[in-house]
């Protein structure tokens, strides 16, 4: 007799009617939020990669075998000091990358595009510093997600208050609150900027998990929203928006 696999914490919290769909959401989230980037980087072991906006952690650290030439670029010195174990770290902004043309084989950019002021210039810079045939992975938020678009209008002070008093985030998560103008966080805008910069083979992906599980009726409503977002017309409701492209 086959042993029944125990439910994960997320699926166990789903109302019974949503548990099968909860498994689908969780599997999709685990793939795109973890394995996808590692598969994308599979052929970059001995290539030059820039992580644009490296922050204090990196999915690229999990690559096996490890990537040999990863450079972290970030405007904040504290992020570079606390950041991933990279051989090279440079302070700079994605709108003006401080390297010569055709320097890198790939660009990885996670949770940055929601914060940048000039996505058009950023896409041009990505294209400029990439070698011919180089590739890009951009992972960001969708402005149409109801938990994301308010950040475009709310003050930093209020957003930090919500994180502390409503979402009960820790001090480090609260400290990592930055302006979020959301200037390129739709599929149409991001595709337009990339095409104008010269990129090709542009592919989009969407996924996400409900951000609140309590109270239960809110969790149920969010699962209903996820179901609605499976319809192409409402796919923007998904939390994450990811794109890959090539020069």
């Amino acid at each position: 007799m086959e042993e029944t696999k125990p439910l994960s914490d997320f699926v166990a919290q789903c109302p019974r009617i949503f548990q099968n769909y909860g498994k689908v959401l969780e599997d999709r989230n685990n793939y795109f939020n973890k394995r996808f980037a590692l598969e994308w980087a599979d052929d970059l072991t001995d290539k030059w990669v820039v992580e644009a906006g490296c922050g204090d952690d990196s999915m690229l650290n999990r690559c096996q075998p490890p990537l040999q030439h990863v450079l972290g670029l970030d405007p904040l010195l504290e992020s570079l000091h606390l950041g991933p174990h990279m051989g090279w770290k440079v302070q700079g902004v994605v709108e003006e990358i401080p390297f010569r043309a055709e320097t890198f084989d790939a660009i990885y950019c996670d949770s940055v595009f929601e914060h940048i002021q000039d996505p058009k210039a950023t896409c041009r810079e990505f294209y400029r510093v990439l070698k011919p045939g180089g590739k890009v992975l951009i992972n960001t938020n969708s402005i149409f997600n109801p938990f994301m678009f308010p950040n475009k209008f709310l003050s930093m002070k209020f957003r930090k208050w919500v994180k502390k008093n409503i979402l009960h985030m820790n001090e480090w998560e609260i400290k990592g609150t930055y302006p979020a103008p959301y200037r390129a966080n739709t599929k149409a805008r991001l595709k337009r900027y990339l095409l104008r910069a010269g990129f090709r083979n542009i592919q989009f992906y969407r996924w996400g998990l409900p951000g609140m599980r309590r109270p239960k009726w809110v969790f149920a409503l969010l699962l209903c929203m996820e179901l609605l977002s499976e319809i192409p017309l409402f796919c923007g409701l998904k939390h994450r928006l990811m794109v890959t492209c090539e020069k």
Side-chain angles (χ1 to χ4, degrees), residues 9-246:
D9 178 63
F10 172 78
V11 176
Q13 291 183 57
C14 291
R16 186 175 298 273
I17 193 174
F18 286 111
Q19 284 191 347
N20 286 336
Y21 182 55
K23 293 176 185 177
V24 172
L25 286 177
E26 186 175 57
D27 289 345
R28 186 186 297 160
N29 183 73
N30 287 337
Y31 174 69
F32 283 112
N33 205 32
K34 298 176 183 177
R35 299 194 304 275
F36 187 95
L38 302 183
E39 293 175 4
W40 173 85
D42 187 55
D43 61 343
L44 299 175
T45 303
D46 59 349
K47 305 293 185 180
W48 279 97
V49 182
V50 58
E51 178 157 358
C54 60
D56 60 359
D57 194 12
S58 175
M59 180 62 66
L60 298 183
N61 283 339
R62 300 171 175 82
C63 289
Q64 292 296 332
L67 303 188
Q68 298 176 19
H69 308 299
V70 181
L71 182 142
L73 177 72
D74 201 279
L76 302 177
L77 278 176
E78 62 179 2
S79 293
L80 294 174
H81 291 317
L82 296 172
H85 301 290
M86 297 176 177
W88 300 269
K89 300 177 185 180
V90 174
Q91 186 178 19
V93 296
V94 291
E95 293 92 342
E96 295 183 38
I97 300 175
F99 288 92
R100 294 181 300 179
E102 300 184 4
T103 298
F104 299 100
D105 298 281
I107 298 174
Y108 179 73
C109 186
D110 186 13
S111 301
V112 173
F113 261 68
E114 60 266 34
H115 303 298
I116 60 177
Q117 294 290 340
D118 192 344
K120 186 186 299 185
T122 301
C123 290
R124 287 199 304 262
E125 281 293 276
F126 280 12
Y127 191 86
R128 182 184 67 82
V129 300
L130 272 180
K131 297 176 183 178
K135 61 183 183 178
V136 176
L137 189 156
I138 297 169
N139 192 7
T140 187
N141 296 329
S142 169
I143 195 173
F144 297 125
N145 181 274
F147 286 91
M148 296 298 109
F149 82 85
N151 293 330
K152 182 178 177 67
F153 309 103
L154 298 176
S155 69
M156 293 278 289
K157 183 177 180 180
F158 182 74
R159 288 169 58 200
K160 288 181 178 181
W161 182 89
V162 169
K163 286 186 174 182
K164 180 179 181 179
N165 297 284
I166 305 298
L167 302 179
H168 304 294
M169 293 184 174
N170 60 46
E171 288 299 320
W172 182 249
E173 291 173 314
I174 295 170
K175 188 177 181 180
T177 304
Y178 305 110
Y182 282 86
R183 299 187 185 278
N185 291 73
T186 69
K187 178 181 176 180
R189 282 190 178 183
L190 194 48
K191 184 175 183 179
R192 182 167 69 248
Y193 293 140
L194 291 169
L195 283 172
R196 288 179 178 176
F199 286 101
R200 60 187 178 87
N201 294 340
I202 302 172
Q203 300 290 330
F204 285 88
Y205 310 87
R206 298 181 187 272
W207 79 96
L209 288 179
M212 294 177 63
R213 304 182 195 177
R214 294 287 185 274
K216 287 187 176 181
W217 66 270
V218 171
F219 188 30
L221 283 177
L222 292 177
L223 287 167
C224 288
M225 184 192 75
E226 290 294 333
L227 271 173
L228 181 64
S229 69
E230 301 292 342
I231 301 172
L233 180 62
F234 302 106
C235 63
L237 294 173
K238 292 287 185 189
H239 177 193
R240 299 298 275 172
L241 174 66
M242 184 164 66
V243 59
T244 59
C245 57
E246 300 174 1

